[in-house]
Amino acid sequence: MKNYILLSLVLFCFSFIGKAQAPDYDDLIILYADGKYEKLIDECLKYNDKDATRNDALPYFYLAKAYYGMSQQGDRAPEYKNAFKSAAQAMGKFYKKDKAGSYYAENEEFIEKFKSAAAEVMLNEYEAKNYRKSATSANVFKKTSPDNIGADFMIAASKFMDKDRSSAISIWREVEKSF
């Protein structure tokens, strides 16, 4: 009888140890590989709502990948019309959650691809003389690359060209202080 009680106690303790490990997110990897972006977005949002996985960086990264994939599709649903902006927000949260930078090195190829896409959108809006959209796109770019001060300069230049000179000058002064 003692052995059964001891065995059940040991198994009970091991059941808690097994649940303490972080998930490996294989389901997210499979959904991304299959190109099922809508389902991937739903699964990532489920992980982001759970208390146990709310502070993990990978669900935000795959959320950014899913929204970016949706933004590249021409026949996306109307609820995903701002998919690129949502991808940038998810990427910003990914940077905040990945404080050690461990996932950045593993996924550098996609991150650089996303940064160049954000920079292209920003520059296209500026060249088209849509200065407000250019400033908004620069803010999006700043989320994808928080250490890049070029985005701050682009925000200031866009505001200056949009006749908001006081904001532009204050941004330029703040950026100069960071040197």
Side-chain angles (χ1 to χ4, degrees):
M1 186 67 178
K2 284 183 187 180
N3 290 338
Y4 289 118
I5 293 173
L6 184 62
L7 179 65
S8 62
L9 209 84
V10 168
L11 290 176
F12 182 72
C13 291
F14 279 122
S15 68
F16 285 114
I17 292 171
K19 292 181 183 178
Q21 296 175 352
D24 54 3
Y25 302 112
D26 286 338
D27 56 338
L28 301 181
I29 296 168
I30 292 169
L31 288 172
Y32 180 73
D34 290 343
K36 297 179 180 177
Y37 299 127
E38 289 184 45
K39 180 80 172 148
L40 178 58
I41 290 169
D42 292 338
E43 289 298 315
C44 289
L45 292 175
K46 285 179 189 176
Y47 278 118
N48 294 343
D49 287 339
K50 292 180 184 176
D51 289 335
T53 56
R54 180 174 291 150
N55 293 322
D56 291 348
L58 277 180
Y60 290 102
F61 178 71
Y62 281 104
L63 184 62
K65 286 179 93 168
Y67 276 126
Y68 180 74
M70 289 297 290
S71 73
Q72 300 300 308
Q73 293 179 347
D75 59 341
R76 61 181 178 260
E79 62 262 17
Y80 299 112
K81 74 174 191 163
N82 293 325
F84 191 80
K85 188 176 179 181
S86 299
Q89 290 172 344
M91 190 64 78
K93 289 181 182 178
F94 165 71
Y95 279 120
K96 288 179 184 176
K97 303 293 181 181
D98 187 27
K99 292 180 173 95
S102 58
Y103 297 118
Y104 183 88
E106 294 174 13
N107 303 296
E108 190 171 2
E109 181 180 339
F110 173 77
I111 292 170
E112 292 302 318
K113 180 174 141 181
F114 188 77
K115 282 182 183 181
S116 11
E120 183 179 344
V121 169
M122 175 181 63
L123 291 174
N124 287 343
E125 294 296 341
Y126 188 81
E127 289 175 356
K129 298 184 180 182
N130 296 332
Y131 299 119
R132 285 194 181 163
K133 286 185 179 181
S134 175
T136 303
S137 299
N139 276 327
V140 168
F141 181 72
K142 192 174 176 178
K143 288 179 184 174
T144 63
S145 181
D147 55 343
N148 190 339
I149 61 171
D152 291 324
F153 280 118
M154 181 58 92
I155 293 168
S158 298
K159 288 187 180 281
F160 187 82
M161 296 302 286
D162 198 33
K163 310 270 190 271
D164 187 5
R165 298 189 188 329
S166 62
S167 295
I169 291 170
S170 69
I171 292 171
W172 277 323
R173 287 184 181 153
E174 277 187 45
V175 173
E176 285 178 352
K177 290 178 186 176
S178 66
F179 285 117

